Amino acid sequence: MKSVRKRIYKMIASAMLLVILAQNTAFAEETARNTTINSASVSLETPSAILMEASTGTVLFEKNADEMRSPASITKIMTLLLTFEAIEKGRIRLEDEVLTSAYAKSMGGSQVFLDEGEVQTVDTLIKCITVASGNDASVALAEYVAGSEQEFVNMMNEKAAQLGMANTQFMDCCGLCSDSGHHTTARDVAIMSRELITRYPQVYNYTKIWMEDITHVTSRGSEPFTLASTNKLLKQYQWTTGLKTGSTNVAKYCFSATARKNDIDLIAVIMGAPDPKVRFAEAQILLEYGFAVTRLYVDENKQVLGDIPVTGGKAERLAVEPKGAFRYLDVTGADFNKIEKQYQYADTVAAPVERGAEVGYISYSLEGRELGRMPIIASEPVEKAFFVDYLRRMLIKYLV
């Protein structure tokens, strides 16, 4: 009888948890459908653009943001993303030395004039890409990460698919390709820019460089070479943090601009601007608009939540915690002091429980309107208990 009651108890607890998680998923989907804010006051000459807040992904402005266009050198944002990912996974290191191939040397367009057989570190090649937009450096790094540029391009397209970049297809790692098959959109550029700066903020150590010397060491000897940033906004707009420019005859003038002010990170993507001045000026217009209308509410969620009962587990209680900081981007001038938090989680969970498993959520609301949710997760795993575990527990209870 006791065993039957225990099974029923588990079924009820599991059902409660499924209801909580289903509600959480439904709210997240509804929030995603309502992230674009009316900004009719912004007028741009640029044919395609978008403005996004990085930490929440909120879109503040868009103009033909899903129009497929040639990206030119902002292609290199994906090259940088995969490079930092390879570093994070331990496949390559910043101090690794990369040998320049004849193919990498042959790249035209913007370049840092690497010679065949020249050796540069991964760290230096990242500078060559972020500062001077070196096509030769991009190919050299792609070959080092993946063995060949084509294999690296395959990785780029796989990553684009993972990120939901539905209107993107890459054919090279640097953006020289003028084929219509090499295309993306302003929205997709914002998505990959967001992934890069939020996962690897160390990229700012490179994108904020205005000028820096590297050294070419070849059979002809040692020769200094000055990298000069293609991002003129670094000198024109004090909040600029990056990110990448691009231009070809087909793409016209493109730019994914990032800036940080009052702890808010914005991404302004410009595609197809008629000239460089419009590219930088309209990126700045978007950034200034974004900083003018937004405020960011952040709850770091450092509080201790305690634990909840576990049925059928080696441990009888499960420690839980918020998954992370909650962020809400406001454009209405709301009073953040009126934001309320409510905790919703199952009274009990059934083992086994994996670390990080969602067991509930924290709901944030303002004057009756729900702003968002932060999952509550298991702080540790709990394995399923077997007969020997129950026997050990009884012995401890009655003998200690």
Side-chain angles (χ1 to χ4, degrees):
M1 187 58 134
K2 187 180 291 185
S3 175
V4 172
R5 284 201 302 269
K6 183 178 288 186
R7 285 198 297 272
I8 293 173
Y9 193 48
K10 285 183 180 179
M11 290 171 64
I12 293 173
S14 299
M16 289 174 62
L17 180 57
L18 287 173
V19 169
I20 288 172
L21 296 180
Q23 289 174 339
N24 194 25
T25 301
F27 177 82
E29 291 173 350
E30 180 64 23
T31 300
R33 287 193 294 268
N34 293 283
T35 55
T36 303
I37 296 165
N38 186 10
S39 51
S41 60
V42 178
S43 178
L44 300 179
E45 184 179 353
T46 296
S48 179
I50 197 168
L51 176 66
M52 178 184 288
E53 193 279 321
S55 69
T56 63
T58 303
V59 174
L60 299 163
F61 171 89
E62 59 179 271
K63 177 184 178 182
N64 300 325
D66 296 311
E67 182 179 271
M68 288 190 291
R69 304 188 68 89
S70 177
S73 282
I74 53 178
T75 296
K76 296 183 177 82
I77 295 169
M78 182 61 81
T79 300
L80 291 167
L81 175 58
L82 291 180
T83 298
F84 280 105
E85 188 175 86
I87 293 169
E88 179 186 44
K89 293 180 177 180
R91 297 203 303 266
I92 65 173
R93 301 173 302 165
L94 286 173
E95 59 269 27
D96 285 356
E97 295 185 333
V98 179
L99 184 69
T100 304
S101 68
Y103 175 64
K105 177 192 174 181
S106 72
M107 292 299 108
S110 58
Q111 52 189 302
V112 294
F113 303 101
L114 298 174
D115 201 0
E116 181 181 358
E118 180 177 343
V119 174
Q120 295 288 355
T121 64
V122 169
D123 180 67
T124 297
L125 291 176
I126 293 174
K127 290 177 185 176
C128 292
I129 295 170
T130 55
V131 181
S133 195
N135 295 323
D136 45 1
S138 296
V139 173
L141 199 48
E143 291 176 334
Y144 185 68
V145 171
S148 70
E149 183 188 24
Q150 185 53 58
E151 185 55 36
F152 190 84
V153 170
N154 293 339
M155 292 169 59
M156 293 170 71
N157 288 317
E158 289 173 7
K159 192 65 177 182
Q162 290 172 14
L163 294 176
M165 297 166 59
N167 295 308
T168 294
Q169 179 71 31
F170 296 113
M171 296 181 69
D172 69 21
C173 67
C174 58
L176 266 177
C177 182
S178 58
D179 191 293
S180 61
H182 185 89
H183 59 258
T184 188
T185 66
R187 190 184 311 280
D188 285 358
V189 172
I191 289 170
M192 68 176 174
S193 298
R194 181 190 180 205
E195 182 75 2
L196 176 59
I197 66 174
T198 55
R199 281 190 61 186
Y200 307 109
Q202 62 267 38
V203 71
Y204 291 139
N205 296 332
Y206 301 90
T207 59
K208 290 181 181 180
I209 296 172
W210 178 245
M211 278 191 177
E212 186 167 319
D213 286 347
I214 65 169
T215 302
H216 288 300
V217 179
T218 66
S219 57
R220 298 185 301 275
S222 179
E223 182 180 358
F225 181 83
T226 300
L227 303 176
S229 180
T230 60
N231 183 1
K232 307 311 177 188
L233 217 58
L234 285 170
K235 290 296 184 180
Q236 297 171 10
Y237 189 56
Q238 63 176 319
W239 311 111
T240 303
T241 55
L243 183 63
K244 191 71 199 71
T245 61
S247 63
T248 63
N249 290 335
V250 174
K252 304 301 181 184
Y253 294 89
C254 305
F255 189 20
S256 180
T258 58
R260 181 177 179 82
K261 182 181 180 183
N262 298 329
D263 295 326
I264 295 175
D265 288 288
L266 296 181
I267 302 164
V269 179
I270 298 290
M271 297 195 72
D275 61 59
K277 289 184 179 179
V278 171
R279 167 176 64 183
F280 293 121
E282 295 196 345
Q284 184 172 335
I285 287 171
L286 287 180
L287 294 170
E288 288 181 339
Y289 165 77
F291 288 130
V293 299
T294 57
R295 288 189 311 138
L296 188 64
Y297 170 83
V298 181
D299 181 3
E300 296 292 348
N301 278 321
K302 299 296 185 182
Q303 71 273 27
V304 177
L305 296 185
D307 51 30
I308 57 177
V310 179
T311 59
K314 289 186 177 182
E316 295 184 87
R317 302 194 69 83
L318 171 69
V320 298
E321 62 186 7
K323 188 174 182 179
F326 173 80
R327 289 174 169 82
Y328 166 69
L329 193 72
D330 177 66
V331 294
T332 65
D335 183 356
F336 288 166
N337 292 321
K338 294 182 179 179
I339 292 178
E340 298 178 347
K341 295 170 63 174
Q342 289 187 326
Y343 298 85
Q344 301 285 341
Y345 46 87
D347 294 331
T348 185
V349 293
V353 181
E354 294 183 1
R355 181 178 181 180
E358 292 189 20
V359 297
Y361 61 87
I362 305 171
S363 173
Y364 294 82
S365 61
L366 177 62
E367 297 180 336
R369 180 173 65 92
E370 192 167 40
L371 305 178
R373 296 176 180 176
M374 175 54 59
I376 296 173
I377 61 173
S379 302
E380 57 196 2
V382 176
E383 297 179 10
K384 185 177 180 180
F386 295 95
F387 175 77
V388 66
D389 299 298
Y390 290 113
L391 181 60
R392 185 183 299 110
R393 192 176 297 165
M394 288 179 61
L395 289 172
I396 291 173
K397 181 177 180 181
Y398 289 108
L399 298 178
V400 175

